[in-house]
Amino acid sequence: MTSPLFPLFADLRGRTVLVVGGGTVALRKAGALLEAGARVRVGAPELVPALAAWVAEGRIEHLPGPFVSQWLDEAWLAIAATDDAAVNRAVAEAGEARRVWVNVVDDVEASSFHVPARVVRGPVQIAISSGGGVPMLSRHLRETLETQLDESLGALAQLLSRERERIRKHYPDLGARRRFFDRVLSGPIPSLLRQGRGEEAQRAFGAALVESDAAAAQVGSVALVGAGPGDPGLLTLRGLRVLNEADVILHDRLVSPQVLQLARRDAELIDVGKPLAGTLSPANHHSTQERIHSLMLKHARAGKRVVRLKGGDPFVFGRGGEELEALRDHGIAFEVVPGITAALACGAYAGIPLTHREHAQSLRLVTAHLKDANDGLDWRALAQEKQTLAVYMGVSGLDVLRDKLIEHGRAAGTPFALIENGSRPEQRVVTGTLAELAERAQAHRVQSPALLIVGEVAALAERLHWFGEAPLTQALAPTPAATYAVAA
């Protein structure tokens, strides 16, 4: 095809469209036409059960037997979807003679119109065509756009469509109308619709409609986003979309460079990560957190879309609650995008199911700096059998952890697994028994980030591992204590 196709969206409501063929391809085409409101006729000697059911329900009309050109009577469009090339060509030729547009599935030259790959968000449709020559490229582009365009775009389009006349009345000047749309699309209304808060979005629209450009000086928003454990493929679809909208990204030390590379290219990246666990006093931890609060407020008040990007999940030992309280207290709009927390990801990538019918009926997620004797933990409950213990932070005190668990009843032979850099290419897994936990971690020089799993399920890592190198099960000569550090 030497000339580009002319893009066109057809209104098929109540109009007759012929589908020739009675198989699964014809079923797919007929379904799409029904969604568009067309009167569908399907011509074929036999129909697959789903098409036959639609005929019985009165949703489509069946023209039985082999194709004849009279089937095209009253048709606005036709689709040839049989597995017989000669029949498909006959439909195309008959359509050409009758000036009826015909699409022949998988036959570019015979088609007078093409059905594009589509991304649908309510009334919004994006059609993609490669001219019929490279349909796989069109599919790839569609999949890319599917990840970038939020489902709430449809609700936004419906709201703006309903309010079209009011918008034109308030802003008869095209330039002023364009500035209004810029404010709406970059303001809180899309986020409210994304959160399912339709009434609030409607009220916000009403307020925005009567605001002047000066009065609408932007107040930004903050999204708390879980970056997952490091593998960028584990970032959620919503997380990816938010990263591509962000003006400013405040990220932790544990967020991998690969995840940061997914952010919008012109976004400002600010590293607010804390040093390794155990190296800060409580006062310094407080100071660092206060700086994060200050940065969030500063950039949001400047009208920026801020992402607070945290390793793992913001609500699992991530101080996400404290940060939301600070935003709420200062009237800053926010949302939360969960991430895959380290216990889930590290367990999965190490081949360790956190629960198992035979080995563990419960799971406990724990964080503690175990240098303090008054840590407040219920050690008797943590030492129970038939449960999995996932320790996030404070595991630099592995000797204390081991001693307390054994002291309160956990068997010294209980399996453990230390997962270093879980889900990342450099992942390492060290396994053994609780009695030798500290010594094996020291011998293998386990470093942050690492997660500790204690419980019967940890032994499954040796049989079920699938990612990276096999678990390190052999003991090594211990290294000097000065070179040993473990943290998550």
Side-chain angles (χ1 to χ4, degrees), residues 345-420:
C346 291
Y349 273 60
I352 302 173
L354 298 181
T355 62
H356 191 287
R357 282 195 304 169
E358 297 178 6
H359 304 301
Q361 286 73 50
S362 64
L363 167 67
R364 291 179 182 266
L365 309 181
V366 182
T367 178
H369 299 300
L370 298 174
K371 294 181 179 180
D372 184 357
N374 298 316
D375 49 53
L377 294 177
D378 184 352
W379 287 102
R380 186 172 299 280
L382 294 179
Q384 291 176 2
E385 295 183 350
K386 297 293 185 178
Q387 72 172 353
T388 302
L389 189 63
V391 183
Y392 278 68
M393 287 175 278
V395 290
S396 55
L398 292 179
D399 52 346
V400 178
L401 173 72
R402 174 199 59 203
D403 294 345
K404 283 183 173 286
L405 288 176
I406 293 175
E407 175 187 345
H408 288 84
R410 201 56 152 127
T414 302
F416 80 83
L418 270 168
I419 302 123
E420 179 185 86

Side-chain angles (χ1 to χ4, degrees), residues 169-250:
K169 180 179 179 180
H170 276 83
Y171 298 99
D173 176 72
L174 182 60
R177 197 183 312 150
R178 184 178 295 114
R179 290 193 298 274
F180 166 76
F181 273 102
D182 287 342
R183 293 202 309 271
V184 168
L185 296 177
S186 62
I189 293 174
S191 180
L192 289 170
L193 291 171
R194 202 158 44 232
Q195 298 168 34
R197 297 157 64 181
E199 293 184 4
E200 291 182 53
Q202 187 67 52
R203 290 195 295 270
F205 172 84
L209 194 63
V210 298
E211 282 181 332
S212 66
D213 288 348
Q218 290 286 334
V219 174
S221 61
V222 177
L224 269 63
V225 179
D231 180 352
L234 297 181
L235 185 69
T236 65
L237 184 57
R238 177 64 192 147
L240 177 62
R241 289 171 177 163
V242 171
L243 282 181
N244 279 282
E245 297 171 356
D247 300 308
V248 178
I249 298 173
L250 310 176

Side-chain angles (χ1 to χ4, degrees), residues 127-380:
I128 306 163
S129 172
S130 64
V134 196
M136 292 299 103
L137 176 59
S138 297
R139 189 179 73 175
H140 172 74
L141 293 174
R142 180 186 64 80
E143 291 172 351
T144 300
L145 290 172
E146 288 279 9
T147 67
Q148 295 177 350
L149 301 176
D150 194 88
E151 293 292 340
S152 63
L153 186 63
L156 178 62
Q158 290 172 344
L159 186 154
L160 295 176
S161 179
R162 288 196 308 268
E163 300 291 351
R164 182 179 181 184
E165 292 305 317
R166 288 179 67 194
I167 295 171
R168 294 176 68 89
K169 180 179 179 180
H170 276 83
Y171 298 99
D173 176 72
L174 182 60
R177 197 183 312 150
R178 184 178 295 114
R179 290 193 298 274
F180 166 76
F181 273 102
D182 287 342
R183 293 202 309 271
V184 168
L185 296 177
S186 62
I189 293 174
S191 180
L192 289 170
L193 291 171
R194 202 158 44 232
Q195 298 168 34
R197 297 157 64 181
E199 293 184 4
E200 291 182 53
Q202 187 67 52
R203 290 195 295 270
F205 172 84
L209 194 63
V210 298
E211 282 181 332
S212 66
D213 288 348
Q218 290 286 334
V219 174
S221 61
V222 177
L224 269 63
V225 179
D231 180 352
L234 297 181
L235 185 69
T236 65
L237 184 57
R238 177 64 192 147
L240 177 62
R241 289 171 177 163
V242 171
L243 282 181
N244 279 282
E245 297 171 356
D247 300 308
V248 178
I249 298 173
L250 310 176
H251 63 91
D252 284 349
R253 175 182 60 84
L254 294 179
V255 176
S256 71
Q258 292 79 11
V259 170
L260 292 176
Q261 288 173 4
L262 299 175
R264 204 175 86 185
R265 295 303 178 201
D266 57 346
E268 180 182 358
L269 301 178
I270 302 176
D271 187 346
V272 295
K274 304 177 182 72
L276 295 179
T279 62
L280 283 182
S281 68
N284 286 334
H285 267 293
H286 180 75
S287 175
T288 302
Q289 192 62 44
E290 286 300 313
R291 174 175 174 264
I292 293 171
H293 293 175
S294 176
L295 286 170
M296 289 192 302
L297 297 173
K298 170 187 172 183
H299 290 290
R301 286 168 173 162
K304 302 293 182 65
R305 287 169 293 189
V306 181
V307 165
R308 173 70 176 100
L309 188 61
K310 297 169 173 285
D313 178 86
F315 278 6
V316 180
F317 307 130
R319 298 201 172 189
E322 297 174 36
E323 293 174 4
L324 289 194
E325 288 174 334
L327 295 170
R328 173 68 72 185
D329 289 346
H330 291 85
I332 302 298
F334 58 80
E335 69 170 297
V336 180
V337 181
I340 297 179
T341 188
L344 299 179
C346 291
Y349 273 60
I352 302 173
L354 298 181
T355 62
H356 191 287
R357 282 195 304 169
E358 297 178 6
H359 304 301
Q361 286 73 50
S362 64
L363 167 67
R364 291 179 182 266
L365 309 181
V366 182
T367 178
H369 299 300
L370 298 174
K371 294 181 179 180
D372 184 357
N374 298 316
D375 49 53
L377 294 177
D378 184 352
W379 287 102
R380 186 172 299 280

